[in-house]
């Protein structure tokens, strides 16, 4: 794509995707647009200039930049490496076997160290700059400077080496979201060991199902955590875990809820500070390793069987996150980045990499509903948060609590709010702009554990449209395929990626012939990544996610995304939350399905015939008759994963009398009993 010199970079992207007839523009006016000076000073504008200068291409809009990024993958990722100042040896080749999925390789000649890129310093003057600020609910507050973080990583890496840890060994964390989790992960990465973690609220079997597969050498474990203000000790779980993980040679216990927890009854256990004590801080020895050296092992949710162990590489993770942080989210040196997450969700790994953009990590552990949901906004104000990440469910819960943070929290420094975990409904967009902050880039994002990154999401320089993810991410050849495997626009279909990207998993653990890997992503559309989301590309080139493809409802042959029903049901004041599934009905007729809606009502509400009629009428008026549930039933709780995602497939299995193979993957597995043997579903 060669062309004339690029003009108008000072207003780069402001009017991208807005070239519509006036009437359509009025009917779908953006909720927010970036100011011209923000766009002019953004990373993506500077990057576009660099691309034009280097490759002589016209990239005067986000659309043209995205198109160039996916048609010239090698040049694009080369440019990202250089623009983001990756520390390492790049080598001559940026991409080989680009026509193979899986099989393509990015930077096959490169060497680097992930931790070295995250612990970069801009000079001695920055040693006292904050690297991490931690709040443990309203009980614990800690701060680590850049120097303190580097010193702790240095000592931890020395301690690991003293225990014989070598590249490729696994290091596991059963930890709350505390600074020691960051320290241990970076120490492991500095050596080339592979980090894997679960959050402290996992049950024993859930942890064994994960760590037992990958056989860690060292286990870092917290002594407990806080949940909604309550102390939740985990020492007994750690003892049982250590006894059942024969590969673990050392258990390093991190004090959190107790000053000095008793560890004598845990085999091979030592307190974190005692473990570090023999080692003085010195310059960190960063092993220079291949681009695709394994960095993390993440886990699928595991609700349909033992979790898949997904191995991600150091170079791909670093490069993708740098691109997402800097080019999409406009993270700059000195920014203060937060995501409400646990160590068991990929957003923790995503957040960690913000250190590579010279940002401060804001970590929070515990319930987000302390002080009726104000704690995170108090954190944001007190710590000058610039990027605020939460789940769509959290925003929905705040709205149902009638909370309006804008009244008490000015959020002066906040520029971007990110939302993921489930689709953010259009009403969620309305809530954010009315009750959190009006001048804000609201980025609904979508990716996953499978790619430790995003397919679609935000861009700080694009307008925000109600109910839409702003854009497909740079370097990601995202498309929507219909049932025939043809790419479609403004039609619902399957989210796919038609070209390789750096964070495709290296492999699954214990999958030597890559059979499970290929079946997971490439079985439906050969040589094309099939992600399993049901979605649509909009007239603005944004995306709407309607739910998971495997949960799509199909009454009478009409495909319906579950999010379409949730949007209507959960807007009703009587309903706290809901879950909708398809039931095979009648049982003796193959391929016929009816919609069953389960609702958890607000305190004091009862599911009367009148309320059922009201729900059905509301759904019919705002969608179509096909969306109306055949059955609406009340439940006291709804099962969800430990990352807060409701589990439609598990509920579907239960109502069909099928087993849910791994209940330990759920935060509240007891809720499944509420769906068993419901007499109402037998007629």
């Amino acid at each position: 794509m060669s062309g004339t010199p690029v003009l108008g970079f000072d207003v780069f992207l402001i009017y991208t995707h807005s070239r519509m007839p006036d009437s359509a523009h009025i009917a779908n006016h953006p909720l927010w647009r970036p100011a011209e000076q923000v766009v002019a000073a953004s990373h993506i504008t500077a990057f576009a200039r660099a691309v034009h200068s280097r490759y002589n291409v016209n990239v005067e809009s986000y659309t043209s930049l995205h198109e160039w990024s996916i048609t010239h993958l090698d040049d694009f990722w080369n440019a990202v490496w250089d623009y983001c100042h990756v520390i390492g040896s790049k080598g001559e080749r940026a991409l080989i076997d680009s026509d193979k999925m899986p099989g393509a390789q990015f930077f096959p000649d490169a060497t680097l160290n992930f931790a070295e890129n995250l612990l970069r310093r801009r000079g001695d003057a920055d040693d006292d700059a904050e690297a991490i600020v931690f709040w443990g609910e309203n009980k614990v507050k800690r701060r680590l400077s850049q120097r303190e973080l580097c010193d702790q990583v240095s000592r931890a890496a020395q301690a690991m080496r003293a225990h014989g840890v070598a590249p490729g060994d696994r290091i596991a964390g059963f930890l709350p979201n505390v600074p020691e989790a960051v320290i241990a992960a970076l120490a492991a990465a500095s050596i080339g060991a592979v980090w894997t973690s679960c959050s402290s609220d996992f049950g024993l079997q859930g942890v064994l199902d994960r760590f037992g597969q990958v056989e860690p050498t060292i286990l870092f474990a917290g002594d407990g955590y806080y949940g909604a203000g309550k102390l939740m000790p985990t020492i007994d779980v750690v003892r049982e875990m250590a006894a059942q993980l024969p590969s673990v040679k050392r258990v390093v216990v991190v004090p959190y809820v107790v000053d000095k927890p008793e560890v004598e009854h845990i085999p091979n256990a030592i307190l974190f500070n005692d473990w570090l004590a023999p080692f003085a801080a010195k310059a960190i020895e960063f092993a220079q390793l291949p681009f695709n050296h394994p960095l993390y092992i993440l886990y699928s949710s595991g609700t349909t069987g033992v979790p898949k162990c997904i191995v991600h590489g150091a170079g791909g993770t670093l490069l993708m996150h740098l691109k997402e942080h800097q080019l999409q989210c406009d993270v700059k040196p000195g920014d203060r980045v937060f995501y409400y997450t646990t160590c068991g969700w990929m957003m923790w790994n995503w957040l960690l990499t913000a250190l590579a953009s010279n940002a401060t990590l804001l970590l929070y552990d515990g319930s987000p509903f302390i002080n009726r949901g104000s704690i995170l906004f108090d954190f944001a104000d007190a710590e000058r948060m610039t990027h605020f990440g939460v789940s769509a469910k959290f925003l929905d819960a705040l709205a149902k609590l009638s909370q309006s943070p804008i009244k008490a929290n000015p959020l002066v420094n906040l520029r971007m709010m990110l939302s993921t975990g489930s689709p953010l409904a259009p009403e969620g967009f309305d809530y954010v702009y009315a009750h959190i902050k009006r001048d804000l880039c609201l980025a609904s994002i979508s990716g996953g554990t499978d790619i430790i990154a995003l397919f679609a999401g935000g861009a700080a320089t694009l307008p925000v449209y109600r109910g839409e993810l702003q854009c497909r991410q740079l370097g990601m050849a995202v498309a929507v395929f219909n049932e025939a495997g043809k790419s479609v626009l403004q039609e619902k279909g399957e989210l796919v990626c038609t070209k390789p990207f750096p964070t495709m998993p290296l492999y699954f653990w214990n999958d030597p012939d890559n059979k499970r890997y290929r079946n997971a992503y490439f079985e439906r559309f050969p040589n094309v990544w099939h992600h399993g989301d049901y979605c649509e590309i909009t007239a603005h080139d944004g995306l709407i996610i309607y739910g998971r493809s495997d949960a799509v409802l199909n009454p009478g042959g009409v495909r319906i995304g579950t999010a379409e029903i949730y949007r209507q049901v959960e807007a009703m004041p009587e309903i706290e939350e809901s879950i909708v599934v398809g039931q095979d009905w009648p049982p003796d007729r193959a391929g016929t399905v009816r919609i069953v809606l389960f609702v958890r009502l607000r305190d004091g509400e009862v599911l009367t015939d009148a309320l059922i009629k009201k729900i059905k009428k509301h759904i019919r008026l705002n969608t179509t008759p096909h969306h109306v549930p055949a059955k609406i039933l009340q439940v006291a709780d709804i099962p969800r994963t430990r990352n807060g995602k409701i589990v439609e497939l598990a509920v579907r299995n239960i109502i069909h009398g099928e087993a849910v193979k791994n209940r330990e993957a759920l935060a509240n597995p007891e809720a499944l009993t509420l769906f068993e043997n419901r007499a109402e579903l037998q007629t």
Side-chain angles (χ1 to χ4, degrees), residues 417-437:
M417 175 166 270
L418 300 101
S419 169
T420 192
S422 58
L424 182 62
E427 292 78 10
F429 284 73
D430 300 339
Y431 173 77
V432 168
Y433 284 110
H435 295 283
I436 294 180
K437 191 174 183 180

Side-chain angles (χ1 to χ4, degrees), residues 458-475:
T461 51
L462 287 179
V464 175
Y465 289 91
R466 187 173 185 263
E468 296 185 18
L469 286 70
Q470 286 173 284
C471 57
R472 291 174 277 185
Q473 303 288 271
L474 296 174

Side-chain angles (χ1 to χ4, degrees), residues 5 117 194-195 210 274 288 291 314 349 377 420 461 600 632:
N117 278 273
V194 186
W195 175 258
R210 290 157 174 78
D274 294 339
Q288 298 303 302
F291 186 85
N349 308 80
F377 298 95
T420 192
T461 51
R600 182 168 73 87
I632 301 179

Side-chain angles (χ1 to χ4, degrees), residues 385-397:
M385 191 182 292
T386 58
H387 295 72
F388 191 148
V390 290
S391 68
K393 283 291 183 184
F394 173 72
L395 295 174
D396 181 61

Side-chain angles (χ1 to χ4, degrees), residues 307-318:
K308 297 189 293 288
C309 306
I310 304 170
V311 184
H312 286 292
T317 300
L318 174 67

Side-chain angles (χ1 to χ4, degrees), residues 295-507:
L295 171 69
Y296 293 132
I297 298 175
L298 275 61
Y299 304 96
S300 64
S301 60
T303 56
T304 57
V306 176
K308 297 189 293 288
C309 306
I310 304 170
V311 184
H312 286 292
T317 300
L318 174 67
L319 205 60
M320 184 72 85
H321 289 181
L322 282 169
K323 182 262 298 184
E324 290 176 351
H325 290 161
Q326 294 186 25
L327 302 187
Q328 309 288 167
C329 297
D330 206 35
V331 173
K332 295 176 178 175
D335 279 350
R336 301 166 76 82
V337 182
F338 168 76
Y339 220 102
Y340 178 71
T341 181
T342 69
C343 296
W345 190 21
M346 62 141 289
M347 295 312 301
W348 181 84
N349 308 80
W350 188 89
L351 172 64
L352 181 61
T353 314
L355 287 169
S357 296
N358 293 311
T360 298
L361 302 187
L362 302 183
L363 305 182
Y364 179 89
D365 191 78
S367 170
F369 293 105
I370 298 294
N371 299 333
R372 284 181 56 82
S374 70
I375 186 74
L376 297 186
F377 298 95
D378 294 339
F379 187 27
D381 267 340
E383 302 301 344
R384 309 185 308 282
M385 191 182 292
T386 58
H387 295 72
F388 191 148
V390 290
S391 68
K393 283 291 183 184
F394 173 72
L395 295 174
D396 181 61
L398 284 182
K400 288 185 178 296
L401 288 170
S402 299
Q403 291 293 85
S404 188
I406 199 170
K407 295 176 182 177
N409 299 100
L411 305 176
V412 172
N413 300 94
L414 190 62
R415 305 197 310 268
M416 176 176 278
M417 175 166 270
L418 300 101
S419 169
T420 192
S422 58
L424 182 62
E427 292 78 10
F429 284 73
D430 300 339
Y431 173 77
V432 168
Y433 284 110
H435 295 283
I436 294 180
K437 191 174 183 180
R438 294 184 177 90
D439 184 12
L440 180 76
C441 180
L442 175 56
S444 180
I445 62 177
S446 182
T449 297
D450 312 79
I451 67 168
I452 203 170
L454 311 177
F455 281 122
T461 51
L462 287 179
V464 175
Y465 289 91
R466 187 173 185 263
E468 296 185 18
L469 286 70
Q470 286 173 284
C471 57
R472 291 174 277 185
Q473 303 288 271
L474 296 174
M476 305 297 276
V478 172
V480 173
F481 277 10
N482 63 17
E483 289 292 306
K486 302 297 184 183
S487 182
V488 294
L489 298 175
Q490 299 182 58
E491 293 181 23
K492 296 173 185 176
E494 300 291 333
L495 189 151
V496 300
C497 194
T498 61
K499 295 185 179 180
F501 49 92
T503 54
M504 293 169 61
L506 301 181
Y507 47 86

Side-chain angles (χ1 to χ4, degrees), residues 86-215:
V86 172
I87 300 170
S89 174
K90 185 168 59 173
E92 294 297 321
R93 298 176 296 174
L95 176 61
I96 61 173
D97 295 327
S98 61
D99 58 338
K100 295 179 181 178
M101 290 181 70
Q105 293 185 56
F106 288 87
F107 299 99
D109 312 311
T111 57
L112 54 78
N113 186 277
F114 182 82
E116 184 177 14
N117 278 273
L118 271 64
L119 295 173
R120 65 179 74 197
R121 297 182 181 186
R122 289 165 286 160
D124 292 339
D126 294 307
D127 277 1
D128 293 327
E130 288 178 330
I132 297 174
V133 177
F134 168 71
W135 282 23
E137 292 195 343
N138 52 4
K139 296 175 176 60
V140 182
K141 294 182 181 180
R142 292 172 54 196
R143 298 175 186 274
L144 271 74
S145 68
Q146 291 279 357
R147 180 188 293 111
E148 290 168 333
L149 176 60
C150 286
D151 287 352
Q152 291 280 77
V153 172
S154 168
R155 297 172 68 198
Q158 292 176 65
M160 286 182 187
R161 283 194 166 96
H163 282 287
V165 173
D169 288 347
R170 278 76 61 207
I171 308 296
F174 173 66
L175 292 163
N177 186 18
V178 292
E180 286 80 4
V182 176
I183 292 164
L186 291 179
S190 73
I191 297 169
V194 186
W195 175 258
T196 188
S197 56
C198 294
S199 61
S200 292
D201 59 351
F202 266 68
L204 174 63
Q205 191 58 50
V207 178
L208 295 176
D209 285 346
R210 290 157 174 78
F211 294 169
Q213 294 187 68
V214 302
E215 300 178 308

